[in-house]
Amino acid sequence: MPRVAFKTTLLAFCAAASLTAVITAPACAQTAPVAFRIESQSLDQALIAFARSADVQVLFTPELVRGKRATAVSGSMAPREALATMLSGTGVGIRSVSADGRTFSLGGTDLASAEPEVVVVTALKRSAAIAKVPAAVVALSGNEIRERGIVGTEGLVDEVPGVSINYAFGGTGYGLLSIRGIGGADDYKPNGSPSVALHVDGVYQTSNAYFSMPLFDLERIEVLKGPQGTLYGRNTTAGVINALTRGPSETFEGYADVRAGNFDYTRFETAVGGKVSENFGVRLAVMAENGGGFMNGEGAGTLAGFRPSVGGVVQTQVPAVTDPGKREGFGDKDMVAARATFSFDFTPQTNLTIKTFASRDRGDSRQYDRLAKAQDNTQFNAGENADPYSFYSQKYFTHAYDIRGLSGTLTHRVKENLNFTVVGGVQSTDRTDGGNGDGSPYPGYEYAFDEKLSQASLEMRLSDDNGGKLDWIVGAFYLTDSANFDSTWTSFTVRSVYDNNHKQRRNSFAVFGQADYNLTEKLRLSGGLRFTRDSVDYKGQNIDHNPWGISIYNSTFATVSGFSWDRDFEDDNLSGRLTAQYFVSENFNLFASASTGYRGGGFDGTSIMTLEETYPFESETVTAYEAGARWYKGRFRASLDVFSYKFKNLQATTRLANDTNGRTNVGRAETSGVDLAVGARLFDGQTQKIDLDLSAAFLDSEITEYISRRAADVAATVGDPLPGAPDVTANLSLKHQAAFTGGWDLTSRLTVAHHGEESNRLNALPNNTAEPYTLTNIHVELASPASWSVYGYGKNITDEVYFPELNGAARLVGAPATYGVGLRYRF
């Protein structure tokens, strides 16, 4: 048995004596791999278990580990690797190792440790060092998320190469995330299935409506690039985003963070929690965000009072375009969110974690701007100038998003190397939003959306994942969700007001399994299968209200209004993945994989103007090939991924034969490219450190087959890139850390992000293609020895004018230079 003693000792890296814990085991140290099975628990107890297993001694101060929780370690590995994994995310690192490898000295990782942090992810639904995951994964820690200013999934754009967002149809509240060029052609309405699957604490989010959820008090975010048809299943043809929130710590602790910036922006975030009793822990987190609007509304301009004419006769029964007056700082946020987490340790082998959450968003709905009048001499233009931050409108649209839910994770160790996990969740959402699609007070088409969503899901997994000769996981998944939504359209072009009322019910069931087998000490083979069964029921009606008596709805859409529909869709799919991974050395490995993915078919929810748009579209499939290399050596790390995907029955929103926009299967597409990332410590001094991170994604996408009854569209589209598929995206980050006498630390991060040229829809014209842009951000923070810090930040500090979306003469401008200061206190 090891012994724990506290004594005063002079460590080589300290200038003065300190109270230090020494954990020892009497036998000789081992340098060969050791079989570890250490659960996630308080760090001090985990270190005791580590010293016992590895037959070594570990030196640390009690204050260093107090209140911290260790990452679980399982499998055969070198003691140093096991210890680094166990310490990941704790702020504690390996400061030094004795010459004989028997003694490990620990210290804070902020500046003192020259050892690399081992990033542990759960991308394969088990904990593993990211360097050994045979898939393209990007992981951002909670601290890095804060320094980069990420407060929602849209913040991943420009921070993670290969990720983009498309606002082509529904405005900023209906963004379509894409990864490696897949997702930008998705359905923006809430009954669609995003190609990028968002999971929050293990719970799958069924609709792109949840991309607007606030993310706060995060442990980390993981981005899995490429199809994930085996462990994650349906609707992951682009990839997966895993957002993991923090849970209760072993001791009472928390923080408060408040910041203020230009455009009247404020944000407050706080969290507190810890153990209430030996077996029960609680954490509460709250976030509020306000202001930040950088657009200036100019009212209705020259279109104030406008009414449409028919045959030269002004239609006085039609309400005139109103002038709401001018408004500065439009686009303000008004959001509050809260989460409570409860952790129950029923036994040492059984834990139940429950999270309940809610958010309320009453912000402004950002509007499109139009080109200057000199460049856009149309009825829509109200007298625009060249200023992209001013716009004209007959009203200032706001939105109301309310999300609430409950999720739970039960983990139980049935016996040694056999674990049972259950993840379930229920949530509901109410959303109202509005806007116009042409950036004009003239309602060519003005929309008002009213949506009610609900979902419930349950996943059960049984796994043997101890890192032995054979690891395996089997599981089952069930999901049911509903979307009731009403879209009201006001159009001077159609001379009417008309409604689409939709009701959709969807059920999905899947069983899956994966096995990883170490064929030799260096070669690992993996294989997995997933069977999915989907069913969808979709009904609704279209109503032309014709309130002014001059509707031309029927002739505009070549249909007869007042129709309804009730349709069903069913499909099943078997997807799989094969992977071979070869460990050239402990620090260098290669892998190659072949997989298939599946995106369930269903129904269009955009704007049902004709019966043609009510028929289901078929499921989309993808065949994916990928190869990669990982090299981690000290503070240097590098990764390279090469991929090629082929899509059949590609789903997209496009122009149909009757000139309406509808969701359908448009043919085939191919994407290929390269992801690379390099990280290195450029300077490692006693008081200063400089770290570099460089990542980039190079993408080539092409529509190889396009199905349409419009020959001109076929000719114009085949050979085009996919929507939301920028050719080059890159991110360069330099982080400098300096330690001063008295315990003061200064941290600075400079980030430069480049986003390449990108179209935002099929049949794209030059005025639907956004130009490339480069953004420069900075974060500087001074931390005191008294647990508080002050910081300043700037985003787009060069004030570059850029447009995430162009829609003909209408355009959506990105944020100008924003900056602010903040205060953070930890307790």
Side-chain angles (χ1 to χ4, degrees), residues 769-813:
T769 301
E771 296 295 321
Y773 62 85
T774 302
L775 305 180
T776 304
N777 306 326
I778 191 168
H779 180 99
V780 180
E781 184 163 358
L782 179 65
S784 78
S787 299
W788 59 264
S789 62
V790 292
Y791 60 89
Y793 66 89
K795 307 196 78 171
N796 188 16
I797 60 175
T798 60
D799 204 22
E800 177 159 350
V801 178
Y802 66 103
F803 299 95
E805 185 205 338
L806 297 178
N807 181 15
R811 55 191 184 174
L812 188 68
V813 67

Short mmCIF file of all heavy atoms in Angstrom, two decimals, residues 769-813:
data_model
loop_
_atom_site.label_atom_id
_atom_site.label_comp_id
_atom_site.label_asym_id
_atom_site.label_seq_id
_atom_site.Cartn_x
_atom_site.Cartn_y
_atom_site.Cartn_z
N THR A 769 -22.53 35.18 -54.43
CA THR A 769 -21.24 34.64 -54.00
C THR A 769 -20.51 35.68 -53.16
O THR A 769 -20.22 36.78 -53.63
CB THR A 769 -20.38 34.24 -55.21
OG1 THR A 769 -21.08 33.25 -55.98
CG2 THR A 769 -19.05 33.67 -54.75
N ALA A 770 -20.25 35.33 -51.89
CA ALA A 770 -19.58 36.24 -50.97
C ALA A 770 -18.08 36.22 -51.19
O ALA A 770 -17.48 35.17 -51.40
CB ALA A 770 -19.91 35.86 -49.53
N GLU A 771 -17.47 37.39 -51.14
CA GLU A 771 -16.03 37.53 -51.32
C GLU A 771 -15.28 37.02 -50.08
O GLU A 771 -15.83 36.99 -48.98
CB GLU A 771 -15.67 38.99 -51.57
CG GLU A 771 -16.24 39.56 -52.86
CD GLU A 771 -15.66 38.89 -54.08
OE1 GLU A 771 -14.43 38.60 -54.06
OE2 GLU A 771 -16.41 38.63 -55.04
N PRO A 772 -14.03 36.62 -50.24
CA PRO A 772 -13.25 36.19 -49.07
C PRO A 772 -12.99 37.34 -48.11
O PRO A 772 -13.03 38.52 -48.50
CB PRO A 772 -11.95 35.67 -49.69
CG PRO A 772 -11.85 36.34 -51.02
CD PRO A 772 -13.26 36.52 -51.49
N TYR A 773 -12.72 37.00 -46.85
CA TYR A 773 -12.42 38.03 -45.85
C TYR A 773 -11.46 37.47 -44.82
O TYR A 773 -11.31 36.26 -44.67
CB TYR A 773 -13.70 38.55 -45.18
CG TYR A 773 -14.49 37.50 -44.42
CD1 TYR A 773 -14.17 37.17 -43.10
CD2 TYR A 773 -15.57 36.84 -45.02
CE1 TYR A 773 -14.89 36.23 -42.40
CE2 TYR A 773 -16.29 35.89 -44.33
CZ TYR A 773 -15.96 35.59 -43.02
OH TYR A 773 -16.67 34.64 -42.32
N THR A 774 -10.80 38.38 -44.09
CA THR A 774 -9.87 38.02 -43.04
C THR A 774 -10.16 38.86 -41.80
O THR A 774 -10.26 40.09 -41.90
CB THR A 774 -8.41 38.23 -43.48
OG1 THR A 774 -8.16 37.45 -44.65
CG2 THR A 774 -7.44 37.82 -42.38
N LEU A 775 -10.32 38.22 -40.66
CA LEU A 775 -10.63 38.89 -39.41
C LEU A 775 -9.47 38.73 -38.43
O LEU A 775 -8.85 37.67 -38.36
CB LEU A 775 -11.91 38.33 -38.79
CG LEU A 775 -13.16 38.34 -39.66
CD1 LEU A 775 -14.34 37.74 -38.90
CD2 LEU A 775 -13.49 39.75 -40.13
N THR A 776 -9.22 39.77 -37.65
CA THR A 776 -8.17 39.75 -36.63
C THR A 776 -8.80 40.06 -35.27
O THR A 776 -9.48 41.08 -35.11
CB THR A 776 -7.08 40.79 -36.94
OG1 THR A 776 -6.56 40.56 -38.25
CG2 THR A 776 -5.96 40.70 -35.92
N ASN A 777 -8.57 39.16 -34.31
CA ASN A 777 -9.13 39.30 -32.97
C ASN A 777 -8.01 39.26 -31.94
O ASN A 777 -6.95 38.67 -32.18
CB ASN A 777 -10.12 38.17 -32.67
CG ASN A 777 -11.20 38.03 -33.72
OD1 ASN A 777 -11.64 39.03 -34.30
ND2 ASN A 777 -11.63 36.82 -33.98
N ILE A 778 -8.28 39.87 -30.78
CA ILE A 778 -7.26 39.90 -29.72
C ILE A 778 -7.95 39.79 -28.36
O ILE A 778 -9.08 40.27 -28.17
CB ILE A 778 -6.42 41.20 -29.81
CG1 ILE A 778 -5.20 41.10 -28.89
CG2 ILE A 778 -7.26 42.43 -29.52
CD1 ILE A 778 -4.18 42.19 -29.12
N HIS A 779 -7.25 39.14 -27.42
CA HIS A 779 -7.72 39.02 -26.04
C HIS A 779 -6.50 39.17 -25.14
O HIS A 779 -5.51 38.45 -25.31
CB HIS A 779 -8.39 37.66 -25.82
CG HIS A 779 -8.91 37.45 -24.42
ND1 HIS A 779 -10.23 37.64 -24.07
CD2 HIS A 779 -8.28 37.07 -23.28
CE1 HIS A 779 -10.39 37.39 -22.80
NE2 HIS A 779 -9.22 37.03 -22.28
N VAL A 780 -6.56 40.09 -24.17
CA VAL A 780 -5.47 40.32 -23.22
C VAL A 780 -6.05 40.26 -21.82
O VAL A 780 -7.05 40.94 -21.53
CB VAL A 780 -4.79 41.68 -23.47
CG1 VAL A 780 -3.67 41.89 -22.45
CG2 VAL A 780 -4.26 41.78 -24.89
N GLU A 781 -5.41 39.47 -20.94
CA GLU A 781 -5.95 39.28 -19.59
C GLU A 781 -4.83 39.34 -18.56
O GLU A 781 -3.80 38.69 -18.71
CB GLU A 781 -6.70 37.96 -19.49
CG GLU A 781 -7.37 37.73 -18.15
CD GLU A 781 -8.42 36.64 -18.21
OE1 GLU A 781 -8.66 36.08 -19.32
OE2 GLU A 781 -9.00 36.33 -17.15
N LEU A 782 -5.06 40.12 -17.51
CA LEU A 782 -4.13 40.23 -16.39
C LEU A 782 -4.77 39.58 -15.17
O LEU A 782 -5.83 40.02 -14.70
CB LEU A 782 -3.81 41.70 -16.10
CG LEU A 782 -2.87 41.97 -14.92
CD1 LEU A 782 -1.48 41.40 -15.19
CD2 LEU A 782 -2.79 43.47 -14.61
N ALA A 783 -4.13 38.52 -14.67
CA ALA A 783 -4.66 37.76 -13.53
C ALA A 783 -3.87 38.11 -12.28
O ALA A 783 -2.64 38.10 -12.28
CB ALA A 783 -4.59 36.26 -13.81
N SER A 784 -4.59 38.39 -11.22
CA SER A 784 -3.96 38.73 -9.95
C SER A 784 -3.78 37.48 -9.11
O SER A 784 -4.41 36.45 -9.36
CB SER A 784 -4.84 39.73 -9.20
OG SER A 784 -5.94 39.06 -8.59
N PRO A 785 -2.96 37.54 -8.08
CA PRO A 785 -2.83 36.39 -7.17
C PRO A 785 -4.04 36.23 -6.26
O PRO A 785 -4.12 35.26 -5.51
CB PRO A 785 -1.56 36.72 -6.36
CG PRO A 785 -1.47 38.21 -6.41
CD PRO A 785 -2.01 38.62 -7.75
N ALA A 786 -4.98 37.18 -6.31
CA ALA A 786 -6.14 37.16 -5.43
C ALA A 786 -7.39 36.62 -6.13
O ALA A 786 -8.51 36.98 -5.78
CB ALA A 786 -6.41 38.57 -4.89
N SER A 787 -7.22 35.81 -7.18
CA SER A 787 -8.31 35.10 -7.85
C SER A 787 -9.20 35.98 -8.71
O SER A 787 -10.27 35.56 -9.13
CB SER A 787 -9.20 34.34 -6.83
OG SER A 787 -8.44 33.38 -6.15
N TRP A 788 -8.81 37.21 -8.99
CA TRP A 788 -9.57 38.02 -9.93
C TRP A 788 -8.66 38.41 -11.09
O TRP A 788 -7.45 38.43 -10.98
CB TRP A 788 -10.18 39.25 -9.26
CG TRP A 788 -9.19 40.19 -8.62
CD1 TRP A 788 -8.83 40.22 -7.31
CD2 TRP A 788 -8.44 41.23 -9.27
NE1 TRP A 788 -7.90 41.20 -7.09
CE2 TRP A 788 -7.64 41.85 -8.28
CE3 TRP A 788 -8.37 41.69 -10.58
CZ2 TRP A 788 -6.78 42.90 -8.58
CZ3 TRP A 788 -7.51 42.74 -10.87
CH2 TRP A 788 -6.74 43.34 -9.87
N SER A 789 -9.28 38.71 -12.21
CA SER A 789 -8.53 39.13 -13.39
C SER A 789 -9.33 40.17 -14.15
O SER A 789 -10.56 40.22 -14.07
CB SER A 789 -8.22 37.92 -14.28
OG SER A 789 -9.41 37.31 -14.75
N VAL A 790 -8.62 41.00 -14.89
CA VAL A 790 -9.25 41.97 -15.78
C VAL A 790 -8.76 41.66 -17.20
O VAL A 790 -7.65 41.18 -17.40
CB VAL A 790 -8.89 43.42 -15.39
CG1 VAL A 790 -9.50 43.79 -14.07
CG2 VAL A 790 -7.39 43.63 -15.37
N TYR A 791 -9.63 41.92 -18.17
CA TYR A 791 -9.25 41.59 -19.54
C TYR A 791 -9.87 42.59 -20.51
O TYR A 791 -10.85 43.29 -20.19
CB TYR A 791 -9.66 40.17 -19.90
CG TYR A 791 -11.15 39.87 -19.81
CD1 TYR A 791 -11.99 40.09 -20.91
CD2 TYR A 791 -11.71 39.37 -18.64
CE1 TYR A 791 -13.34 39.81 -20.83
CE2 TYR A 791 -13.05 39.09 -18.55
CZ TYR A 791 -13.87 39.31 -19.65
OH TYR A 791 -15.22 39.04 -19.57
N GLY A 792 -9.27 42.65 -21.67
CA GLY A 792 -9.81 43.44 -22.77
C GLY A 792 -9.81 42.59 -24.03
O GLY A 792 -9.01 41.68 -24.17
N TYR A 793 -10.72 42.90 -24.92
CA TYR A 793 -10.82 42.11 -26.14
C TYR A 793 -11.18 42.99 -27.31
O TYR A 793 -11.76 44.09 -27.15
CB TYR A 793 -11.87 41.00 -25.99
CG TYR A 793 -13.29 41.52 -25.85
CD1 TYR A 793 -14.09 41.75 -26.98
CD2 TYR A 793 -13.85 41.79 -24.60
CE1 TYR A 793 -15.38 42.23 -26.86
CE2 TYR A 793 -15.13 42.27 -24.47
CZ TYR A 793 -15.90 42.49 -25.60
OH TYR A 793 -17.18 42.99 -25.48
N GLY A 794 -10.86 42.54 -28.49
CA GLY A 794 -11.24 43.21 -29.72
C GLY A 794 -11.49 42.17 -30.79
O GLY A 794 -10.71 41.22 -30.93
N LYS A 795 -12.56 42.33 -31.54
CA LYS A 795 -12.87 41.41 -32.64
C LYS A 795 -12.98 42.23 -33.92
O LYS A 795 -13.53 43.32 -33.92
CB LYS A 795 -14.17 40.64 -32.37
CG LYS A 795 -14.19 39.92 -31.02
CD LYS A 795 -15.29 38.87 -30.93
CE LYS A 795 -14.89 37.62 -31.68
NZ LYS A 795 -15.85 36.49 -31.44
N ASN A 796 -12.43 41.67 -34.99
CA ASN A 796 -12.34 42.39 -36.27
C ASN A 796 -11.70 43.75 -36.05
O ASN A 796 -12.24 44.79 -36.45
CB ASN A 796 -13.73 42.53 -36.91
CG ASN A 796 -13.66 43.09 -38.33
OD1 ASN A 796 -12.60 43.11 -38.96
ND2 ASN A 796 -14.79 43.56 -38.82
N ILE A 797 -10.54 43.75 -35.40
CA ILE A 797 -9.92 45.02 -34.99
C ILE A 797 -9.45 45.85 -36.18
O ILE A 797 -9.20 47.05 -36.04
CB ILE A 797 -8.76 44.77 -34.01
CG1 ILE A 797 -7.67 43.91 -34.65
CG2 ILE A 797 -9.28 44.14 -32.73
CD1 ILE A 797 -6.44 43.72 -33.77
N THR A 798 -9.33 45.25 -37.36
CA THR A 798 -8.98 46.02 -38.55
C THR A 798 -10.22 46.63 -39.21
O THR A 798 -10.11 47.32 -40.22
CB THR A 798 -8.26 45.14 -39.57
OG1 THR A 798 -9.11 44.05 -39.96
CG2 THR A 798 -6.96 44.59 -38.99
N ASP A 799 -11.40 46.36 -38.64
CA ASP A 799 -12.67 46.92 -39.12
C ASP A 799 -12.92 46.56 -40.59
O ASP A 799 -13.35 47.40 -41.39
CB ASP A 799 -12.69 48.44 -38.93
CG ASP A 799 -14.11 48.99 -38.86
OD1 ASP A 799 -15.03 48.21 -38.53
OD2 ASP A 799 -14.30 50.19 -39.14
N GLU A 800 -12.69 45.30 -40.92
CA GLU A 800 -12.93 44.86 -42.29
C GLU A 800 -14.42 44.75 -42.56
O GLU A 800 -15.19 44.22 -41.75
CB GLU A 800 -12.26 43.52 -42.54
CG GLU A 800 -12.52 42.97 -43.94
CD GLU A 800 -11.51 41.94 -44.38
OE1 GLU A 800 -10.50 41.77 -43.68
OE2 GLU A 800 -11.73 41.31 -45.43
N VAL A 801 -14.85 45.24 -43.71
CA VAL A 801 -16.24 45.12 -44.15
C VAL A 801 -16.37 43.82 -44.93
O VAL A 801 -15.68 43.60 -45.93
CB VAL A 801 -16.67 46.32 -45.02
CG1 VAL A 801 -18.10 46.13 -45.50
CG2 VAL A 801 -16.52 47.63 -44.25
N TYR A 802 -17.25 42.94 -44.46
CA TYR A 802 -17.41 41.64 -45.12
C TYR A 802 -18.88 41.24 -45.06
O TYR A 802 -19.67 41.74 -44.24
CB TYR A 802 -16.54 40.58 -44.46
CG TYR A 802 -16.90 40.23 -43.04
CD1 TYR A 802 -17.59 39.06 -42.74
CD2 TYR A 802 -16.54 41.06 -41.98
CE1 TYR A 802 -17.92 38.74 -41.43
CE2 TYR A 802 -16.87 40.75 -40.67
CZ TYR A 802 -17.56 39.59 -40.41
OH TYR A 802 -17.89 39.27 -39.12
N PHE A 803 -19.26 40.32 -45.95
CA PHE A 803 -20.65 39.94 -46.10
C PHE A 803 -20.78 38.42 -46.02
O PHE A 803 -20.38 37.72 -46.95
CB PHE A 803 -21.22 40.44 -47.43
CG PHE A 803 -21.17 41.93 -47.56
CD1 PHE A 803 -20.12 42.55 -48.20
CD2 PHE A 803 -22.17 42.73 -47.00
CE1 PHE A 803 -20.06 43.93 -48.31
CE2 PHE A 803 -22.12 44.10 -47.10
CZ PHE A 803 -21.06 44.72 -47.75
N PRO A 804 -21.30 37.88 -44.91
CA PRO A 804 -21.53 36.44 -44.84
C PRO A 804 -22.51 35.94 -45.89
O PRO A 804 -22.51 34.77 -46.24
CB PRO A 804 -22.10 36.24 -43.42
CG PRO A 804 -21.65 37.44 -42.66
CD PRO A 804 -21.62 38.56 -43.65
N GLU A 805 -23.38 36.84 -46.38
CA GLU A 805 -24.34 36.43 -47.39
C GLU A 805 -24.65 37.56 -48.35
O GLU A 805 -24.80 38.73 -47.94
CB GLU A 805 -25.65 35.96 -46.76
CG GLU A 805 -26.61 35.40 -47.80
CD GLU A 805 -28.06 35.48 -47.38
OE1 GLU A 805 -28.32 35.57 -46.18
OE2 GLU A 805 -28.92 35.47 -48.27
N LEU A 806 -24.75 37.22 -49.63
CA LEU A 806 -25.24 38.12 -50.66
C LEU A 806 -26.44 37.46 -51.33
O LEU A 806 -26.38 36.29 -51.71
CB LEU A 806 -24.16 38.41 -51.71
CG LEU A 806 -22.90 39.13 -51.22
CD1 LEU A 806 -21.91 39.29 -52.37
CD2 LEU A 806 -23.25 40.49 -50.63
N ASN A 807 -27.53 38.21 -51.47
CA ASN A 807 -28.75 37.70 -52.07
C ASN A 807 -29.23 38.70 -53.11
O ASN A 807 -30.12 39.50 -52.86
CB ASN A 807 -29.82 37.47 -51.00
CG ASN A 807 -31.11 36.92 -51.57
OD1 ASN A 807 -31.15 36.44 -52.70
ND2 ASN A 807 -32.17 37.00 -50.78
N GLY A 808 -28.58 38.69 -54.27
CA GLY A 808 -28.90 39.69 -55.28
C GLY A 808 -28.46 41.06 -54.80
O GLY A 808 -27.31 41.27 -54.40
N ALA A 809 -29.40 42.00 -54.80
CA ALA A 809 -29.09 43.35 -54.33
C ALA A 809 -29.12 43.45 -52.81
O ALA A 809 -28.65 44.44 -52.25
CB ALA A 809 -30.07 44.35 -54.94
N ALA A 810 -29.69 42.44 -52.14
CA ALA A 810 -29.72 42.44 -50.68
C ALA A 810 -28.47 41.77 -50.14
O ALA A 810 -27.90 40.88 -50.76
CB ALA A 810 -30.97 41.72 -50.18
N ARG A 811 -28.03 42.20 -48.96
CA ARG A 811 -26.80 41.66 -48.39
C ARG A 811 -26.87 41.70 -46.87
O ARG A 811 -27.54 42.56 -46.29
CB ARG A 811 -25.60 42.47 -48.88
CG ARG A 811 -25.72 43.96 -48.59
CD ARG A 811 -24.66 44.77 -49.32
NE ARG A 811 -24.74 46.19 -48.95
CZ ARG A 811 -23.87 47.11 -49.34
NH1 ARG A 811 -22.84 46.76 -50.10
NH2 ARG A 811 -24.02 48.36 -48.98
N LEU A 812 -26.19 40.75 -46.26
CA LEU A 812 -26.11 40.69 -44.80
C LEU A 812 -24.66 40.96 -44.42
O LEU A 812 -23.76 40.20 -44.78
CB LEU A 812 -26.53 39.31 -44.30
CG LEU A 812 -26.67 39.16 -42.79
CD1 LEU A 812 -27.84 39.97 -42.26
CD2 LEU A 812 -26.84 37.69 -42.41
N VAL A 813 -24.43 42.05 -43.71
CA VAL A 813 -23.08 42.48 -43.39
C VAL A 813 -22.63 41.87 -42.07
O VAL A 813 -23.43 41.66 -41.15
CB VAL A 813 -23.00 44.02 -43.34
CG1 VAL A 813 -23.80 44.57 -42.17
CG2 VAL A 813 -21.55 44.50 -43.28
#
